[in-house]
Amino acid sequence: MEIPKVDANRTAKLCFACSQENPIGLKLKPIYDGEKVTAEFTAGKFHQGWDDVIHGGILYTLLDEVTAYAMLCHGIEFGVTAKSEIRFKQVAPINEPIQASAWVTKLTKRLVETKGMLTLKDNTIIADGDFLFYVWKQSKKTILWDMDGVIADSHSFHFAAWQETFAKRGIKFDREYFTTLFGARNDFIIRSVMGGALSEEEVRVIAQEKEENFRRKAIGKLKPFPGAVTLLNAIKKGNFKLGLVSSAPKENVDLVLSELNLAGIFDCIVFDQEVSESKPSPQIYLLAAKKLEVLPSDCVVIEDSPQGVKAAKTAEMRCLAITNTHPRQKLEEADKVVDSLENVDLITLLIRV
């Protein structure tokens, strides 16, 4: 079987099911909770079959569309319908919100089985169904995470460690200046604060002291930012590639992953020692893409710093920025800016960034 060759970007612009531009389309805003995809739709007069009753074809399309999102959340970008069985329970009135939900029940390399349901606000079932799809195309989407300021709420421990380290050398280090540097490599921070005349050995000693201070202060006290672990688990469950890309040394990364019970979740980890340039150079993100054997255009980066956002965009990757450590106006180069990962589900990450 051969799929017809079409310009998907052009033909999807007015698709009744998936376009946001079709004036009478579904215009769904689906959400994935880690188990089910849900969306709400309110039909109007142009969706009638009988008077004031939604056409059955509209209801089928609604179920089919949420099912497609459920498959996407399991790493299936495109499936071909093999079988669909819809059971209509009662008529559906226009101008009343309908809750659509779908979930994957079985997944193999070749086939996906799903279930779906349409209900009214009072949980009255309008229709339910079972679907079988051939897997036609797996998603290549890859999610690259910064660590400090994105996953781990470590800002205060790093600041205290730098303060202690610089104070021993007679240098005052304030929080405002630290925030502008947060996310950069140690050598970059040290030379920014102390000047460029330091030898490589002096920089190494200062950096090592600072990181020992950090680990001593952070152990047993680290916490994840709200929503980070939930989103990580949803990505992992969906079989998407995961990379951790951090300006921190390996010892810090190991500590954070252990403290937050995230050891083993990433397919690839790239450390600061593996590249010669600090963010905003794209080196570290390009290395992650190379290790994961994906194109930069397949990658979505989650960052919290202007330097990190710049690095991601220079690498020609999509970027979601979080205002955990920097104000929104400093992160405007990102494709999307949010105030918390609690506001981001897997579908948002895959199609809205």
Side-chain angles (χ1 to χ4, degrees), residues 180-223:
T180 66
L181 297 170
F182 189 57
R185 283 190 354 173
N186 285 340
D187 55 351
F188 181 85
I189 294 174
I190 291 166
R191 294 189 188 281
S192 296
V193 174
M194 301 184 66
L198 296 171
S199 69
E200 291 294 327
E201 177 61 16
E202 287 173 314
V203 170
R204 186 193 67 78
V205 169
I206 295 168
Q208 181 175 328
E209 180 183 329
K210 178 266 170 180
E211 296 306 349
E212 289 173 355
N213 289 338
F214 165 75
R215 291 190 290 273
R216 174 172 47 82
K217 294 174 185 297
I219 192 166
K221 301 174 185 176
L222 281 171
K223 296 184 183 301

Side-chain angles (χ1 to χ4, degrees), residues 23 33 39 42 44 53 65 77-79 82 116 136 143 162 165 172 174 218-219 221 244 285 300 315 319 332 347:
D33 65 4
T42 301
V53 173
E65 186 66 5
E77 189 170 306
F78 186 58
W136 196 264
I143 315 301
W162 278 121
T165 303
K172 291 184 178 181
D174 63 53
I219 192 166
K221 301 174 185 176
L244 183 65
Y285 282 119
V300 177
C319 184
E332 289 180 343
I347 295 174

Side-chain angles (χ1 to χ4, degrees), residues 108-293:
T108 69
K109 292 185 71 174
R110 295 187 58 220
L111 295 170
V112 188
E113 294 180 20
T114 69
K115 288 184 178 292
M117 182 178 294
L118 302 179
T119 64
L120 296 175
K121 282 283 192 180
D122 64 2
N123 293 322
T124 299
I125 298 175
I126 297 169
D128 60 22
D130 298 286
F131 302 83
L132 178 66
F133 296 87
Y134 293 111
V135 176
W136 196 264
K137 184 180 180 182
Q138 296 274 358
S139 175
K140 296 180 180 179
K141 195 72 77 176
T142 299
I143 315 301
L144 303 180
W145 291 69
D146 182 32
M147 185 179 74
D148 291 301
V150 173
I151 299 172
D153 188 358
S154 55
H155 186 277
S156 61
F157 303 116
H158 280 291
F159 174 57
W162 278 121
Q163 267 197 324
E164 183 177 328
T165 303
F166 286 134
K168 282 182 62 175
R169 291 158 177 85
I171 298 171
K172 291 184 178 181
F173 190 58
D174 63 53
R175 185 177 292 273
E176 184 178 355
Y177 188 30
F178 167 66
T179 298
T180 66
L181 297 170
F182 189 57
R185 283 190 354 173
N186 285 340
D187 55 351
F188 181 85
I189 294 174
I190 291 166
R191 294 189 188 281
S192 296
V193 174
M194 301 184 66
L198 296 171
S199 69
E200 291 294 327
E201 177 61 16
E202 287 173 314
V203 170
R204 186 193 67 78
V205 169
I206 295 168
Q208 181 175 328
E209 180 183 329
K210 178 266 170 180
E211 296 306 349
E212 289 173 355
N213 289 338
F214 165 75
R215 291 190 290 273
R216 174 172 47 82
K217 294 174 185 297
I219 192 166
K221 301 174 185 176
L222 281 171
K223 296 184 183 301
F225 277 105
V229 174
T230 298
L231 185 56
L232 275 166
N233 288 332
I235 296 167
K236 193 68 175 179
K237 184 177 179 180
N239 298 311
F240 296 93
K241 290 183 178 180
L242 270 171
L244 183 65
V245 182
S246 177
S247 298
K250 182 178 185 302
E251 295 81 1
N252 287 17
V253 173
D254 290 343
L255 172 68
V256 169
L257 296 184
S258 175
E259 290 279 305
L260 302 185
N261 296 313
L262 294 174
I265 197 169
F266 293 99
D267 302 297
C268 163
I269 299 176
V270 181
F271 308 99
D272 71 331
Q273 299 100 325
E274 296 182 71
V275 293
S276 60
E277 298 175 0
S278 178
K279 300 173 186 176
S281 166
Q283 269 190 358
I284 198 165
Y285 282 119
L286 292 174
L287 179 58
K290 183 178 180 180
K291 283 189 171 187
L292 290 166
E293 299 181 334

